[in-house]
Amino acid sequence: MIKLPSNLRRNLRLMRIGHILASHGLAALAVRMRLFYPYVWLVQLFRGDDLPKDLGTQIRLVLEELGPTFIKFGQMLSTRVDLLPLEVALELKKLQDDVPPEPFEKVRRVIEQSFKRPLTGENGVYATFDETPVAAASIAQVHFAELTDGRQVAVKVRRDHISRTIESDLAILKLLASLFHRYFPEYHRLKAPQVIEEFAITIRGELNLRAEAAHASRFAENFAEIEGVRVPEVMWDYTQTEVLTTERICGTPIDERAKLEAAGHDCLKLCERAATQFFRMVFTDGYFHADMHPGNIFVGDNGDIIFIDFGIVGRLDIKSRRYIAGMLLAFLQEDYRRAAEVHVEAGYVPADTDISAFEDALREIAVPIFNRPLGDISIAELLLSMFAVTERFKMETQPQLLLLQKTMVVIEGVARELADQANIWMLARPMISEWMTRHMGPVGKAEAIGEEIRDQLHDWMRLPAKIDGVLSRIEEGKVTFNSEPSHLSAVMGAMLSAGGGGWLAWSLANGAGTGILVLSTTVMGLGILLAISRS
């Protein structure tokens, strides 16, 4: 087989992308990006239209035709309603990561190269290995096997050469993003190159199955004290970057309601347990499963909920969790002004935002949602609409919240499959209320203030090292000053006054002696004098 030079392969790929765009009514886009220019220009000339009326559908079809990496990119874009029109984002949610399985010989080669041992037989990795996969996706597929000690396991095997394919596609995506950024200056706000970088980090993370094993272990620790929820055990001696081995689970997918009822399970209780566990992950742990589609949630014969597939996880720091809780509490109480204020306090919108106008915008999206029957209220839809509206108030993109919103859409769908009129917020209300009481009440607010003070003190304590670094750079000639009056004294004064002020605050809070108080006051005073002096 002849191997083409990389530059030629890339150009042929770009030509194919230009052809696919043109054949789906997106020739105008290809022309402006200079993709296979003469051909797509002719197509545009004869078609006459700038963009198809069913834009979302055509973009989805283009991504499906371009293959797995582009499908995953489209799935990620479906959550970015801060970037895309809502109708396009909703259409991209239909993208399915459905590909045929790899031939067994390739699976065998990946495993044997990873462990430097035969797949089965004498000194084999496994006692037996089922050649037929039980699940297949674009990055990996799953087979059942048995260990030499008789334990039944599930083996997730990364596709042969998928890393190289994805890196090649990422290079193409980065090039397309740079062309889009260059030739569509009116869409600079979309930050296309940065979006591709975010996607690259996510998909590269999915390639490392040892990292997924680490995620699974962490979830198992978080669930250890929780009855009725568990994670398959990771077999670390049988796990590598390209192979993940876990205990084999027996259970029913959580969306197969008829089978669950026939087995005697109470679907409403299962729904309540799944919802409560999701919000425990979000609020208590700040570490949540971000791919909770029905194929990744099973119900064991004993009624346990079993989570699998931890390739994508979300993380929320305490500040983000308090923001979400405060915002949701305000919405549920129909206090839209408070909802607007929470955004400002969290720093997600500028401090000079017109609160009254922002309140009206939030009311506009929230009232229609909360006027529905209880079972039809969707907090995920609220977040989806909110991210679309807040763009005009210069709300900065919060990737961790977008991932949370995507996961909420899925878990709400799972809940409605189990119990038609269930509302996951109401089912999990006791746990959420307990968390909010603890973290949004007087004790929680005091802790938040304490954390802020500790952060400020930490920054102030680092000032001497920063000052020393600046002085070293000046001595080395790396910092120069012009003949105009120097601002160095003002800068140094501001730093000293801030440091002295922080030291004084700490001293007062900890009952320090008079000498320390005098010294900290002197440092602060010296800083003020330097700040107001002129060189």
Side-chain angles (χ1 to χ4, degrees), residues 25 27 48 65 107 130 143 171 181 195 205 244 290 335 347 383 401 425 434 465 475 479 485 502 526:
E65 197 165 341
V107 173
D130 190 344
H143 294 254
H181 190 74
V195 170
L244 167 62
D335 186 348
L383 291 178
L401 300 186
W425 292 92
E434 180 183 347
E475 289 175 358
V479 177
L526 177 61

Side-chain angles (χ1 to χ4, degrees), residues 26-73:
L26 300 171
L29 179 66
V31 166
R32 282 190 64 176
M33 292 171 63
R34 311 297 195 268
L35 292 177
F36 202 10
Y37 189 82
Y39 170 76
V40 295
W41 181 83
L42 284 173
V43 173
Q44 183 194 31
L45 182 67
F46 284 107
R47 287 182 64 94
D49 55 342
D50 289 334
L51 287 174
K53 293 181 174 59
D54 54 345
L55 179 61
T57 301
Q58 294 305 322
I59 291 175
R60 175 175 60 79
L61 294 173
V62 166
L63 294 173
E64 287 177 342
E65 197 165 341
L66 288 173
T69 307
F70 289 82
I71 289 172
K72 281 193 167 291
F73 178 60

Side-chain angles (χ1 to χ4, degrees), residues 346-501:
Y348 291 165
V349 294
D352 60 354
T353 297
D354 184 335
I355 291 293
S356 179
F358 194 20
E359 175 189 352
D360 287 342
L362 296 179
R363 184 184 297 273
E364 170 193 338
I365 61 174
V367 170
I369 292 173
F370 285 104
N371 275 348
R372 300 173 187 168
L374 184 62
D376 294 335
I377 293 175
S378 168
I379 300 299
E381 182 184 345
L382 174 68
L383 291 178
L384 185 77
S385 301
M386 189 188 73
F387 294 144
V389 165
T390 51
E391 178 201 329
R392 68 175 185 260
F393 292 93
K394 300 180 181 178
M395 179 174 175
E396 294 186 5
T397 299
Q398 304 294 327
Q400 75 279 18
L401 300 186
L402 292 168
L403 191 57
L404 175 64
Q405 179 271 326
K406 169 198 167 188
T407 309
M408 281 186 181
V409 169
V410 176
I411 199 68
E412 282 186 351
V414 169
R416 292 203 171 101
E417 286 285 336
L418 280 172
D420 298 339
Q421 296 304 309
N423 182 289
I424 60 173
W425 292 92
M426 297 303 108
L427 292 175
R429 191 167 189 170
M431 191 280 296
I432 297 172
S433 298
E434 180 183 347
W435 189 92
M436 286 185 173
T437 300
R438 171 69 181 78
H439 291 275
M440 305 299 290
V443 174
K445 289 179 180 178
E447 287 181 350
I449 293 172
E451 289 167 7
E452 186 67 25
I453 291 173
R454 283 197 299 272
D455 291 342
Q456 292 292 335
L457 286 173
H458 181 262
D459 290 341
W460 283 326
M461 290 171 68
R462 294 174 58 198
L463 277 174
K466 290 183 178 179
I467 293 170
D468 186 59
V470 171
L471 292 175
S472 297
R473 293 184 66 199
I474 293 172
E475 289 175 358
E476 294 169 5
K478 294 181 180 179
V479 177
T480 58
F481 303 94
N482 58 28
S483 58
E484 296 296 318
S486 174
H487 297 289
L488 180 59
S489 62
V491 173
M492 294 290 291
M495 294 170 71
L496 283 173
S497 61

Side-chain angles (χ1 to χ4, degrees), residues 272-283 287-290 292 307 404 407-408 411 424-425 431:
E272 181 179 0
R273 191 183 307 156
T276 300
Q277 188 52 50
F278 170 68
F279 288 111
R280 182 176 282 110
M281 284 190 265
V282 171
F283 288 110
Y287 185 79
F288 61 93
H289 192 315
M292 294 180 68
F307 294 105
L404 175 64
T407 309
M408 281 186 181
I411 199 68
I424 60 173
W425 292 92
M431 191 280 296

Side-chain angles (χ1 to χ4, degrees), residues 94-317:
K94 299 177 183 178
L95 285 165
Q96 297 296 315
D97 187 13
D98 186 17
V99 293
E102 284 269 69
F104 176 67
E105 284 309 310
K106 290 187 177 182
V107 173
R108 177 193 293 274
R109 182 166 64 245
V110 168
I111 295 175
E112 292 183 345
Q113 287 177 349
S114 293
F115 292 99
K116 305 293 188 291
R117 292 161 57 191
L119 177 64
T120 56
E122 186 177 354
N123 195 36
V125 182
Y126 304 99
T128 62
F129 193 93
D130 190 344
E131 296 185 11
T132 304
V134 292
S138 57
I139 288 179
Q141 60 193 55
V142 179
H143 294 254
F144 288 150
E146 181 181 328
L147 300 183
T148 53
D149 61 7
R151 284 180 293 176
Q152 301 296 311
V153 294
V155 185
K156 186 173 185 178
V157 186
R158 204 173 76 182
R159 284 179 175 265
D160 194 23
H161 303 308
I162 188 65
S163 181
R164 187 173 64 193
T165 301
I166 285 177
E167 289 300 330
S168 175
D169 284 345
L170 285 175
I172 293 289
L173 277 169
K174 288 178 181 179
L175 176 59
L176 293 174
S178 66
L179 292 173
F180 184 85
H181 190 74
R182 177 179 179 181
Y183 294 118
F184 288 83
E186 65 270 32
Y187 292 110
H188 279 179
R189 68 173 181 79
L190 299 184
K191 301 178 181 178
Q194 290 92 322
V195 170
I196 297 299
E197 286 300 329
E198 286 178 24
F199 171 66
I201 291 170
T202 299
I203 197 167
R204 284 174 180 145
E206 288 189 66
L207 289 172
N208 185 353
L209 298 187
R210 283 183 69 86
E212 180 178 335
H215 297 159
S217 292
R218 181 169 173 181
F219 278 109
E221 290 178 4
N222 291 346
F223 298 160
E225 304 300 323
I226 301 170
E227 187 177 351
V229 181
R230 68 185 186 90
V231 171
E233 179 187 356
V234 174
M235 309 299 177
W236 283 101
D237 291 340
Y238 299 87
T239 295
Q240 300 286 347
T241 301
E242 296 178 328
V243 182
L244 167 62
T245 304
T246 66
E247 70 169 296
R248 177 176 173 178
I249 62 162
C250 296
T252 305
I254 201 166
D255 61 338
E256 296 187 8
R257 182 174 174 177
K259 287 186 179 179
L260 292 172
E261 289 177 340
H265 296 295
D266 185 328
C267 288
L268 184 60
K269 286 185 177 179
L270 288 174
C271 184
E272 181 179 0
R273 191 183 307 156
T276 300
Q277 188 52 50
F278 170 68
F279 288 111
R280 182 176 282 110
M281 284 190 265
V282 171
F283 288 110
T284 304
D285 301 331
Y287 185 79
F288 61 93
H289 192 315
D291 195 17
M292 294 180 68
H293 62 76
N296 286 341
I297 310 174
F298 288 79
V299 178
D301 294 340
N302 63 350
D304 283 356
I305 290 180
I306 308 167
F307 294 105
I308 65 169
D309 194 351
F310 301 94
I312 307 174
V313 298
R315 298 174 176 84
L316 294 170
D317 59 22

Side-chain angles (χ1 to χ4, degrees), residues 325-339:
M327 179 196 67
L328 293 176
L329 185 62
F331 275 121
L332 292 169
Q333 293 175 344
E334 300 183 27
D335 186 348
Y336 302 113
R337 184 171 187 84
R338 178 58 193 154

